Structures are given as C-alpha cells and as structure tokens.
Amino acid sequence: MNVIGLEVSTSAAKCILYNAETGIVDSVSQPYPAEVADIVSQDPEGIFQAALAVLRAIVQRNDRPVAAIGLSGTWHSLLYLDRHRQPVGRIKTWADVTATETVEALKAEPDFYREFYHKTGCVLHALYPIWKLYHDKKTNPEAFRVVVYLSSQIECLFERLTGGQAVSRCTASGSGFFNIHTLDWDDELLALAGVKRSMFAELTEATFTLPLAPAIARAVGLPAGIPVTVGAADGALNQVGIGGAREGIMSFSVGTSAALRLVKPAPQLADDPSTWCYYLYNGKRIIGAATHSGNVLSWFAERFFFDRKGKTYSLQDYDQFAAAIEPEKAPYFLPFLYGERCPGWQGKRRGGFLEISPQHNEAHLYYAILEGILFNLYHCYTILASLGGQPAKVLLSGGIIKSPFWRQMAADIFQRDLLVTGVVDESTVGGALFALQAGGGIGQVEDYAVEPTRVLSPRSDKVDVYRKRFAKYLQLYEASRP
C-alpha cells in the first residue's frame, strides 16, 4: 500500500510518497517565501499553496496508486476565522510570544500557575494559543469582534483539502484550552479566555479522515474521495515516525530546536511546572521537554566561524578543535539566548558564557555551547526519568547525528547507549503512518518499529568529569535564575 505524508512546518512544506513495505519512495520539500512565513507568523493562503505544490509534485512524478493522505503540522498555532470561516489575519505560530508580559502577570499567582499546568499539561507560557488569544482580547478587543471561529495551521490545511472541520485531540492538547485528563475542552479555561465551545472544531482522534475534495483532487491529479487524516502535531508525529509510539522508547532530537519525548498510558506531570504532557492518540499521552537551545549553534556559526585572517571554518573543523579541549578547562554555557523553555520556562531568561578566562578561544566557546545544550537537555531528562522511570531505549535524531564529536558527548553525558535509526523526515513519516492505519495498511502505528543503524555507547572514563561539570552547571543555572 502507498500513502502520502504531507506536512506544513514552520519553514517549509514537505511531502513524501511512502510504501508500507519499503518506506519513503520519493520526497519533495519547498521552503516558504519570506512573505509567506517569518517564523512567528504565516499567511494561510501561502501555506496552503505551498502544500498543494509539493503534493502535486509528488503525484505528477509517481504513478503509484495512493490509498490515503496523512497530515502533519506544527503544535501551538492559532488562526482566527470570521463568520464565513475566512482567515482574520495571519497564523500565529509557537514562536509568537507577544503575550509574554501578560503571561508574566498571571505567573504572579502561583496557585493558578500550578492549577493550569496540572489541568492541561501545558506550562503557563506565551507560546500557547490560549494566552495568545487572551492577550489579544485584552490589548485589542475591537479587532477581536469579527472573530467567530478558532482554528490552527493544520486545521486550516485539513479544511481546505476536504471542506470539513475537525481537530485531533493531539493538536488540541497543545493549545492550553484542552484538559489532558478529560480529553475535552476545559469549560473553566474557555470561560477565562472568553470563548465558547461553538468556536472550536469537533474533537477527533488523529486517525479520523474525510475524503479529499473533488476540486483539490483535480488540481493535484488524484482521484476524488481519497481519505485525508485530520492531522496531528509534528512533535507527536516525530515520536511515531521513529518507531516510538510504544512505551519505553524515548526520542531525543537535537536540531534547530531540541526535544525529549516518551509515550505513557496516562498523564504524568511534575509537581512543579517543568516538563509537558500532551495527547497522542488512542488514550496515549506523550510527556516530554523542549528547548530553544539548538538555535544557539546557528548564532555561533554566523559570528565566530572564522580566524583572525578571515578564513572560514566549518562545523567539521570546529568539531576537531573541540575534541582537543580538556573539559576540565572549558568555560560553561547556559543556552538561553532565546529565553528558556524547559525546565524553567523563563521567557526573559538569557544565557551566556560563565567562568571564562583569557586563555579561552573560539574552540573553547564552541565546546561549551555543545556541552551546555546537552546539559540543558540532561536536566530535563532527569525530571522525565523521575516521573516515568528510565526508558528502555533512547533514539537519537536530528542535526546532532552529523557531528561525531557531539553525538559521542551526548552518550557520555547521558551515560547510556543512544540508538541512531537513520530515519529522515520523522514527523512526515509519522503522518504517513497514520494514513496507513486509516487506510488499513497497518493495524496500529505502535506496531511500526525501526532497527538502529548505529549504537553510541558511553565511555566510562568520562563519567566523573561530566558528573562534576553537570553539578557545576546546575549551580550556575540556579544562581542565574531571574
């Protein structure tokens, strides 16, 4: 059986043709033009046209029959619609944190802070749609008068492709309006935000489908009526795409952003707001932590990848330089240049180098950045392990795989085997797997498993050095708390 995985991410539209037996057959990716997406917002029509373009490209250059289409989109987005279900403004993405000041005021009420977290699984933070809306109604109530319905990036794509309205509980669980225990919209939070149930689409499982609309089918060259899944969030689908929809498997991805995720049969939340808990499907929850820290490498590359004579170095060059650094003599780095998400959720927090001295150079700084990003994630890992126990397997993915030095450092800091699967486009694959299940190609997505292509084992001689440095990192972390 052949299916299509279609994803609208923060920066690009992606489409894969996926075969139940052989995996990815073909793939297409199209970055959004600057006017369509600027990270914090997206043009709904531009996103749809980009998705249509990659879908058409896959169909036109492959003659295999397609049984279903599985959708993937970003978590934590918000789109206002008028009474005709037409967009009011642009899609607000997870990166839109204009509500930070409003949220900080709410954080001054610790009882509410904890209640919201334990009810929704979401930490009180400006990235969540409930607070984007709450802030907009507070600061610009007149503009909100024309808003009749609430939607999101993936819901908008599903509606344009099928003509119907629905939202998966997976997508909804990242909104802040959704109760992670009852698996329904939370009436108290709806009242707090001043919205009604009628403004939301019907809640469904991620395997729910509607037929592809005839006009869209003609436009891309597919038969009308092909099932299209309602779509789920890319973070959850990443977990599915690496074969982690079963219990005991943690995904550990480090790229532009970084995240740890683990599937559980019931909600699991820390006493104090730190890690998050969202919904996957079929009663399963997904607990995890996400950070902004991966962006720090891009920041460093733009400013420091050169020597005094102007020669440019690559990541591979800096890997070699960092490998020669003695960890005991390196500075420390708190990777919060873009604010802190997990575990402290301090939007105004800033990071930087600490305990730096005159003998340190760019190689020392690069080493400290790599270590600091991993210490941030290991800090989150210790909280997740205290909640759900040590995972049986940890699957490593993302840009970190391209760096032999950094991926070995990860194994050494976590002091456990890290498995590399070699899967690419994990979240798009996850969307395709839900399409396979919806089309009858597989029984359940948790039946999907991937054999590792590489095992990264920790070095025993690094235990003490990283244990001591992590303890020092935690001291510096606490000392610099806002």
Side-chain angles (χ1 to χ4, degrees), residues 118-121 179-183 245-248 262-270 275-288 384 387-389:
H118 284 279
K119 180 180 283 191
T120 65
N179 189 305
I180 196 61
H181 305 279
T182 65
L183 303 182
R246 305 185 305 282
E247 287 186 63
L262 192 64
V263 169
K264 290 292 178 181
Q268 289 189 340
L269 294 159
T275 56
W276 42 254
C277 179
Y278 304 141
Y279 185 74
L280 182 55
Y281 97 113
N282 200 25
K284 298 177 184 293
R285 272 66 164 190
I286 182 168
I287 64 172
L384 289 170
L387 289 174

Side-chain angles (χ1 to χ4, degrees), residues 350-362:
R350 291 296 175 263
F353 298 99
L354 295 167
E355 302 209 348
I356 196 166
S357 60
Q359 75 266 22
H360 290 140
N361 57 30
E362 287 102 325

Side-chain angles (χ1 to χ4, degrees), residues 13-254:
K14 307 172 187 177
C15 191
I16 62 171
L17 179 63
Y18 189 89
N19 180 267
E21 296 180 356
T22 61
I24 296 177
V25 176
D26 194 9
S27 65
V28 175
S29 179
Q30 178 176 304
Y32 304 132
E35 65 273 16
V36 169
D38 57 8
I39 305 300
V40 298
S41 70
Q42 298 175 332
D43 172 59
E45 181 64 23
I47 296 296
F48 172 67
Q49 291 301 330
L52 214 59
V54 293
L55 177 59
R56 185 185 301 112
I58 282 288
V59 173
Q60 290 182 349
R61 67 193 206 189
N62 294 278
D63 58 3
R64 300 190 183 201
V66 175
I69 299 172
L71 303 185
S72 170
T74 59
W75 239 325
H76 321 310
S77 66
L78 176 65
L79 174 63
Y80 299 136
L81 302 177
D82 65 16
R83 63 191 181 92
H84 302 294
R85 299 197 64 85
Q86 294 302 303
V88 179
R90 291 164 68 90
I91 299 166
K92 299 173 186 288
T93 74
W94 57 269
D96 181 339
V97 290
T98 53
T100 296
E101 292 295 335
T102 299
V103 169
E104 290 301 317
L106 291 170
K107 280 186 178 181
E109 304 176 35
D111 290 342
F112 175 73
Y113 190 1
R114 288 173 58 84
E115 180 186 356
F116 174 74
Y117 173 65
H118 284 279
K119 180 180 283 191
T120 65
C122 304
V123 178
L124 193 55
H125 192 276
L127 69 87
Y128 290 107
I130 186 174
W131 306 123
K132 300 181 198 297
L133 180 147
Y134 184 86
H135 175 79
D136 287 346
K137 292 192 72 174
K138 182 178 180 180
T139 58
N140 193 10
E142 288 300 319
F144 199 81
R145 292 185 186 280
V146 298
V147 176
V148 178
Y149 301 104
L150 302 177
S151 186
S152 66
Q153 179 209 53
I154 191 64
E155 291 175 73
C156 180
L157 178 61
F158 178 72
E159 184 168 351
R160 292 294 300 272
L161 292 176
T162 67
Q165 299 97 43
V167 58
S168 69
R169 291 181 177 86
C170 176
T171 300
S173 68
S175 68
F177 294 105
F178 184 85
N179 189 305
I180 196 61
H181 305 279
T182 65
L183 303 182
D184 194 5
W185 304 117
D186 188 273
D187 289 323
E188 290 183 353
L189 291 172
L190 297 186
L192 174 67
V195 296
K196 300 177 181 178
R197 282 176 172 260
S198 59
M199 300 178 75
F200 297 88
E202 179 185 357
L203 288 166
T204 68
E205 288 292 330
T207 49
F208 174 80
T209 65
L210 286 177
L212 185 65
I216 302 298
R218 289 192 298 272
V220 299
L222 285 171
I226 288 176
V228 180
T229 71
V230 68
D234 51 4
L237 291 176
N238 180 284
Q239 185 75 16
V240 173
I242 64 164
R246 305 185 305 282
E247 287 186 63
I249 301 176
M250 175 177 279
S251 62
F252 176 6
S253 64
V254 186

Side-chain angles (χ1 to χ4, degrees), residues 107 113 117 122-125 128 258 260 270-276 288-293 334-336 339-347 349 372-384 386-387 470 473-474 477-478 481-482:
K107 280 186 178 181
Y113 190 1
Y117 173 65
C122 304
V123 178
L124 193 55
H125 192 276
Y128 290 107
L260 301 164
D271 289 337
D272 293 320
S274 53
T275 56
W276 42 254
T291 74
H292 291 313
S293 54
L334 298 178
F336 308 124
E340 182 191 10
R341 289 178 70 179
C342 295
W345 295 90
Q346 296 281 353
R349 186 171 199 149
I373 290 171
L374 292 176
F375 278 163
N376 180 199
L377 289 164
Y378 185 63
H379 190 183
C380 298
Y381 175 82
T382 60
I383 299 171
L384 289 170
S386 70
L387 289 174
F470 180 64
Y473 168 89
L474 290 180
Y477 173 86
E478 291 297 332
R481 184 185 295 274

Side-chain angles (χ1 to χ4, degrees), residues 250-332:
M250 175 177 279
S251 62
F252 176 6
S253 64
V254 186
T256 304
S257 59
L260 301 164
R261 307 181 188 93
L262 192 64
V263 169
K264 290 292 178 181
Q268 289 189 340
L269 294 159
D271 289 337
D272 293 320
S274 53
T275 56
W276 42 254
C277 179
Y278 304 141
Y279 185 74
L280 182 55
Y281 97 113
N282 200 25
K284 298 177 184 293
R285 272 66 164 190
I286 182 168
I287 64 172
T291 74
H292 291 313
S293 54
N295 288 319
V296 176
L297 271 185
S298 298
W299 165 82
F300 183 81
E302 291 170 0
R303 290 161 176 81
F304 295 103
F305 275 19
F306 58 87
D307 67 7
R308 291 189 179 89
K309 296 179 181 179
K311 179 181 177 181
T312 301
Y313 290 113
S314 66
L315 277 171
Q316 290 74 21
D317 294 327
Y318 270 89
D319 266 8
Q320 293 180 13
F321 301 154
I325 299 298
E326 296 179 56
E328 300 90 336
K329 297 181 180 179
Y332 291 85

